[in-house]
């Protein structure tokens, strides 16, 4: 009798604790996950089991059998194993898309309960039922019921223990509580079914109640149901920077120390805080913008990566918002921060150094250009000087002939015609010099300026022809310009930039023939072609040579890295920058074709500003 009274007292205590736990889950936790609802179902079934067991004990003490109490108790007995299985599976996957197939899990519990209700007619569940476990005689169907129930309990326990150990460790408090809460009712239930010890029908519900109380402690003290196992595993596997894991209600589930250090003195937060509310406390941060980004990634299932400047610390971060999706279920969001302040400083330094290299490269080009200009301008300047001397002589001759009766009218016309001829020559030479100065100006003024003025295709041809004349001639090469376009199209942008790109390609083509070893070499054997064609709303410039070609090792790196075929005599920045400028400044494209020993063709496609 002492043992029975002790079990009754224990049943009352555990039932009261289950009621408290149920109220905690229903009232205290306002935003409930799928796991919470399953846990509520589990507690409710246990309360039903305990109430039925308590009524069964009450009727037993009074000397009669109350089958209604048995029926109430077996609601929990039949259905609790399936709910325990769903609890374990939901914990493992965090969320399940329930479909009609899950109803099949309840078929055997339903059959079991119906057979129990009709047991008096067939004795399949019990041939003899008693409140004392050793006095119970089981029917043939009870074996099926027991095997199914144990299978569900074992599988549910496996899910709980395996994923708890995997995510928290075998010796973590959560895992130990789960292990304790799982083993005790399982052992008691097996011993009771096998009738290996003398007990009452109260032993099993008390044992399961103890299990739920273990989970209850885990919930309140260790926030067992607040964690997202799959999210935590994803964090462990993928993230090495600062991160915050939030659930679907924007509550902080987990974070690492790195992000606490990153946001120290800016945003103070802890687990269960609403991340948007914490962000909203800082007026300098747009919390609505973060909400929209989080909602967008959850909607699309794709990560959102953007750069953010934290003005308070004068630091730059890459923010990556990634949805946590498992088996097509949205579980929450990971917000990862990477401090890129030093990276941006390094990029700025690289950009400055790159600009210095570009400037040096341009100055070197200008040095060659000036050498060519001085050579090219000598001829027109000397010609102008000769014309002026001739005009002085003609003027003197004309003055002396005014009073000379021997000078005929035709002589005067002849002198005038010679003077006009000299003047026309001067005009032509001045026009040539003007074009030269324009070409020089286009190259001297920063060609990378975003000047969106239009220029004519003919101007490009004139500039290229003049600026490359000396380099082509001095390297015993020939430059043939073939213009197949139908109109003198306008091109938007800076003419100096485009001319510099074409000149750089022509220079590369000249250098593809190598150094001049034989002064008797024919320029026709070292030819470079500039072919100009129309292509839809674009002009296609092709710079072609028949030199040594580009090696296969260089081909794949061209335009992607600053590589050169010139060895120590080249930096590789010319082609690298040319490709970038064509893309960015002329809305165009640049590519090449090359065969070693046969030659190379570079293609530059720029958009026309006055299409057909």
């Amino acid at each position: 009798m002492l043992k029975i009274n002790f079990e009754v007292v224990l049943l009352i205590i555990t039932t009261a604790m289950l009621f408290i736990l149920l109220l905690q889950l229903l009232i205290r936790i306002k935003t409930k996950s799928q796991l919470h609802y399953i846990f509520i179902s589990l507690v409710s079934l246990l309360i039903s089991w305990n109430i039925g067991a308590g009524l069964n004990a009450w009727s037993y003490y009074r000397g009669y059998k109350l089958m209604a109490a048995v029926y109430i108790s077996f609601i929990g007995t039949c259905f609790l194993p399936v709910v325990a299985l769903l609890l374990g599976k939901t914990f493992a996957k965090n969320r399940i898309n329930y479909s009609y197939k899950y109803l099949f899990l309840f078929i055997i519990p339903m059959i079991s309960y119906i057979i129990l209700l009709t047991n008096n007619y067939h004795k399949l569940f019990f041939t003899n039922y008693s409140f004392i476990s050793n006095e119970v005689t089981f029917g043939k169907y009870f074996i099926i019921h027991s095997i199914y129930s144990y299978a569900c309990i074992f599988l549910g326990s496996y899910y709980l223990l395996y994923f708890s150990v995997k995510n928290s460790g075998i010796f973590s408090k959560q895992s130990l509580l789960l292990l304790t809460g799982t083993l005790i009712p399982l052992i008691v239930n097996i011993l009771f079914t096998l009738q290996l010890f003398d007990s009452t029908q109260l032993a099993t519900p008390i044992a399961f109640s103890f299990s739920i109380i273990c989970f209850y402690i885990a919930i309140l003290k260790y926030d067992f149901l607040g964690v997202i196992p799959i999210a935590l595993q994803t964090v462990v596997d993928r993230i090495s920077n600062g991160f915050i894991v939030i659930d679907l209600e924007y509550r902080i589930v987990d974070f690492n120390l790195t992000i606490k250090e990153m946001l120290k003195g800016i945003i103070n937060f802890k687990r269960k805080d609403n991340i948007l509310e914490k962000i909203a406390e800082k007026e300098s941060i747009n919390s609505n913008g973060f909400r929209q980004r989080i909602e967008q990634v959850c909607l699309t299932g794709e990560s959102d990566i953007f750069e953010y400047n934290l003005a308070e610390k004068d630091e730059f971060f890459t923010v990556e918002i990634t949805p946590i999706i498992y088996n097509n279920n949205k579980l929450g969001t990971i917000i990862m921060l990477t401090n890129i302040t030093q990276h941006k400083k390094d990029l700025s330094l690289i950009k400055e150094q790159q600009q210095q290299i570009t400037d040096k490269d341009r100055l070197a080009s200008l040095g060659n250009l000036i050498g060519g200009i001085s050579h090219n301008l000598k001829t027109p300047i000397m010609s102008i000087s000769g014309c002026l001397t001739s005009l002085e002589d003609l003027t003197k001759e004309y003055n002396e002939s005014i009073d000379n009766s021997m000078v005929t009218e035709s002589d005067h016309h002849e002198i005038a015609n010679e003077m006009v001829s000299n003047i026309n020559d001067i005009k032509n030479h001045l026009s040539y010099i003007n074009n030269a100065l324009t070409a020089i100006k286009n190259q001297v003024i920063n060609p990378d300026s975003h000047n969106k003025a239009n220029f004519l295709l003919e101007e490009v041809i004139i500039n290229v022809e003049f600026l490359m004349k000396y380099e082509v001639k001095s390297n015993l090469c020939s430059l043939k310009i073939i213009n197949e376009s139908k109109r003198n199209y306008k091109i938007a942008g800076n003419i100096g930039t485009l001319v510099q790109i074409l000149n750089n390609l022509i220079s590369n083509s000249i250098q593809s023939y190598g150094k001049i070893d034989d002064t008797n070499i024919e320029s026709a054997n070292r030819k470079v072609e500039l072919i100009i064609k129309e292509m839809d709303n674009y002009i296609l410039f092709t710079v072609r040579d028949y030199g040594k070609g580009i090696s296969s090792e260089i081909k794949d790196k061209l335009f992607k890295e600053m590589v050169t075929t010139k060895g120590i005599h080249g930096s590789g920045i010319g082609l690298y920058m040319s490709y970038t400028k064509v893309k960015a400044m002329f809305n165009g494209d640049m590519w090449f074709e090359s065969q070693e020993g046969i030659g190379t063709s570079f293609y530059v496609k720029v958009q026309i500003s006055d299409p057909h």
Side-chain angles (χ1 to χ4, degrees):
M1 182 64 69
L2 180 63
K3 181 182 71 174
I4 293 175
N5 289 338
F6 173 75
E7 287 181 347
V8 170
V9 172
L10 197 58
L11 180 72
I12 293 171
I13 293 173
T14 55
T15 304
M17 295 187 73
L18 288 175
F19 269 112
I20 295 172
L21 175 56
L22 185 62
L23 290 174
Q24 290 276 352
L25 290 167
L26 291 173
I27 299 173
R28 184 176 176 182
I29 302 175
K30 295 181 180 179
T31 304
K32 300 176 182 64
S33 66
Q34 196 177 72
L35 201 58
H36 285 105
Y37 286 113
I38 294 175
F39 205 85
I40 288 171
S41 302
L42 192 66
V43 173
S44 300
L45 287 170
L46 262 175
I47 290 174
S48 172
W49 194 348
N50 283 11
I51 291 174
L55 291 173
N56 198 3
W58 178 78
S59 64
Y60 176 80
Y61 290 153
R62 280 157 179 74
Y64 64 92
K65 187 185 299 183
L66 183 63
M67 289 307 297
V70 178
Y71 299 149
I72 293 172
S73 177
F74 266 83
I75 294 174
T77 305
C78 292
F79 293 98
L80 185 140
V82 176
V83 179
L85 169 61
L86 295 177
L87 176 69
K89 190 170 184 179
T90 305
F91 171 68
K93 297 186 176 182
N94 192 259
R95 187 175 181 84
I96 301 174
N97 283 330
Y98 284 109
S99 58
Y100 290 109
K101 66 180 181 180
Y102 285 96
L103 293 176
F104 290 108
L105 292 172
F106 293 91
I107 291 177
I108 290 182
M110 288 291 294
I111 294 173
S112 297
Y113 196 68
I114 292 171
I115 289 176
L116 174 67
L117 294 176
T118 60
N119 188 68
N120 289 335
Y121 301 103
H122 45 68
K123 303 296 182 179
L124 291 174
F125 210 95
F126 297 112
T127 56
N128 179 56
Y129 177 79
S130 174
F131 180 68
I132 305 301
S133 60
N134 289 339
E135 298 176 0
V136 177
T137 305
F138 300 110
K140 294 179 180 180
Y141 177 79
F142 191 82
I143 298 174
I144 299 173
H145 166 76
S146 297
I147 291 173
Y148 183 77
S149 298
Y150 289 142
C152 291
I153 293 171
F154 272 117
L155 191 56
S157 300
Y158 166 77
Y159 278 125
L160 287 171
L161 291 172
Y162 176 78
F163 282 95
S164 176
V165 170
K166 184 177 180 180
N167 295 309
S168 303
I170 191 170
F171 297 112
S172 66
K173 294 177 181 178
Q174 287 91 345
S175 297
L176 292 175
L177 279 170
L178 277 173
L179 183 62
T180 303
T182 302
L183 288 179
I184 290 179
L186 198 61
I187 293 171
V188 170
N189 202 37
I190 291 173
L191 294 175
F192 171 74
T193 303
L194 299 177
Q195 299 180 347
L196 297 179
F197 74 100
D198 187 18
S199 66
T200 68
Q201 298 288 349
L202 301 181
T204 302
I206 290 172
F208 272 105
S209 298
F210 182 78
S211 174
I212 296 303
I213 291 168
C214 287
F215 295 161
Y216 175 71
I217 295 171
I219 293 169
L220 292 184
K221 191 169 183 181
Y222 305 119
D223 198 22
F224 168 60
L225 294 184
V227 302
I228 303 179
I230 302 301
L232 292 178
Q233 185 62 44
T234 304
V235 167
V236 170
D237 291 341
R238 295 180 54 192
I239 296 179
S240 59
N241 297 296
F243 71 85
I244 296 178
V245 182
I246 62 174
D247 62 18
L248 297 176
E249 302 298 326
Y250 307 107
R251 294 173 304 189
I252 298 173
V253 173
D254 202 4
F255 55 86
N256 65 352
L257 294 177
T258 306
I259 202 163
K260 288 288 286 186
E261 194 63 31
M262 286 179 174
L263 302 178
K264 186 176 181 180
I266 308 298
I267 301 175
N268 296 316
F269 56 86
K270 60 183 182 299
R271 288 176 177 82
K272 297 185 180 181
D273 284 346
N274 187 299
I275 186 63
L276 295 179
E277 292 177 359
K278 286 295 177 181
I279 293 175
E281 293 175 2
K282 300 298 296 182
E283 295 182 359
S284 59
I285 303 177
N286 183 4
S287 60
N288 288 330
F290 271 93
R291 178 191 290 271
Q292 291 171 2
R293 288 181 181 274
I294 294 170
E295 290 176 350
Q296 184 66 20
V297 300
C298 287
L299 182 65
T300 61
E302 297 179 356
S303 297
D304 181 16
I305 303 175
F306 59 96
E307 188 176 303
Y308 190 81
N309 179 19
L310 195 60
E312 289 88 342
K313 301 184 76 171
D314 192 26
E315 292 183 344
F316 292 87
F317 295 89
T318 295
V319 183
E320 180 177 355
I321 303 177
T322 303
I324 305 169
I325 301 175
Y326 186 76
N327 283 352
N328 296 322
N329 294 315
K330 297 180 178 65
L331 309 179
T333 309
I334 296 175
I335 303 174
M336 183 173 69
L337 270 66
T338 305
N339 193 322
I340 58 170
T341 306
Q342 187 59 46
H343 177 64
K344 288 185 73 68
K345 290 179 180 178
D346 293 341
L347 281 179
S348 178
L349 180 61
I350 291 170
K351 189 175 180 180
E352 289 178 9
Q353 293 174 343
Q354 188 182 69
Q355 185 61 45
Q356 291 174 3
I357 295 171
T358 304
D359 290 342
K360 288 178 180 179
D361 199 51
R362 192 159 64 90
L363 287 172
S365 298
L366 285 175
N368 294 331
L369 176 67
I370 291 170
I373 289 169
S374 64
H375 180 273
N376 289 337
L377 291 183
K378 283 180 180 179
T379 300
I381 290 172
M382 292 299 293
S383 297
I384 291 172
S385 177
C387 289
L388 289 174
T389 301
S390 179
L391 281 173
E392 287 178 352
D393 293 339
L394 289 170
T395 303
K396 183 178 179 181
E397 182 181 348
Y398 185 76
N399 283 329
E400 292 174 351
S401 65
I402 291 175
D403 297 326
N404 191 340
S405 59
M406 295 180 66
V407 179
T408 64
E409 183 178 347
S410 62
D411 292 331
H412 285 288
H413 284 297
E414 185 180 349
I415 293 171
N417 289 335
E418 289 183 14
M419 294 176 70
V420 169
S421 177
N422 281 299
I423 291 171
N424 288 333
D425 286 343
I426 291 173
K427 286 181 179 179
N428 290 332
H429 293 311
L430 288 174
S431 176
Y432 179 84
I433 292 173
N434 180 64
N435 289 336
L437 293 175
T438 301
I440 295 167
K441 182 188 73 172
N442 290 334
Q443 293 303 300
V444 173
I445 295 174
N446 185 6
D448 293 340
S449 62
H450 293 279
N451 180 9
K452 290 300 179 183
N454 293 324
F455 56 90
L456 295 173
L457 176 59
E458 187 178 334
E459 293 179 77
V460 177
I461 297 172
I462 292 171
N463 277 256
V464 170
E465 189 173 26
F466 172 77
L467 293 173
M468 295 307 300
K469 184 176 181 181
Y470 174 73
E471 186 175 346
V472 169
K473 185 177 180 180
S474 62
N475 284 278
L476 297 181
C477 289
S478 64
L479 173 62
K480 186 177 183 180
I481 299 177
I482 306 169
N483 185 7
E484 298 179 3
S485 62
K486 297 176 182 178
R487 290 172 46 195
N488 188 20
Y489 291 102
K490 288 183 180 179
I491 301 170
N494 186 289
I495 185 174
T497 302
L498 183 56
V499 169
Q500 187 184 59
I501 291 169
L502 295 174
N503 287 353
N504 181 59
L505 294 176
I506 293 170
S507 293
N508 289 344
S509 291
I510 292 171
Q511 292 167 20
S512 73
Y513 289 107
K515 294 183 179 180
I516 305 169
D517 298 322
D518 185 2
T519 55
N520 296 319
I521 192 170
E522 292 289 338
S523 61
N525 297 326
R526 294 164 61 88
K527 61 181 178 180
V528 179
E529 296 171 349
L530 173 60
I531 305 167
I532 303 165
K533 296 180 179 179
E534 299 175 32
M535 179 185 286
D536 297 326
N537 293 327
Y538 292 86
I539 293 292
L540 179 64
F541 297 91
T542 304
V543 178
R544 180 175 299 154
D545 65 66
Y546 303 89
K548 61 184 178 181
I550 301 173
S551 65
S552 55
E553 303 89 62
I554 301 295
K555 282 182 180 179
D556 294 336
K557 299 179 182 179
L558 221 56
F559 300 150
K560 298 176 184 177
E561 304 174 24
M562 287 185 285
V563 295
T564 179
T565 60
K566 305 171 191 176
I568 61 173
H569 302 292
S571 65
I573 197 169
L575 282 177
Y576 181 77
M577 294 301 293
S578 295
Y579 177 77
T580 305
K581 291 172 184 177
V582 169
K583 288 271 191 181
M585 299 182 182
F586 295 98
N587 194 26
D589 198 5
M590 185 173 173
W591 68 96
F592 71 95
E593 296 173 355
S594 183
Q595 286 184 280
E596 290 190 68
I598 296 177
T600 303
S601 294
F602 274 91
Y603 302 92
V604 177
K605 186 175 73 171
V606 299
Q607 192 171 39
I608 299 170
S609 63
D610 59 338
H612 298 290

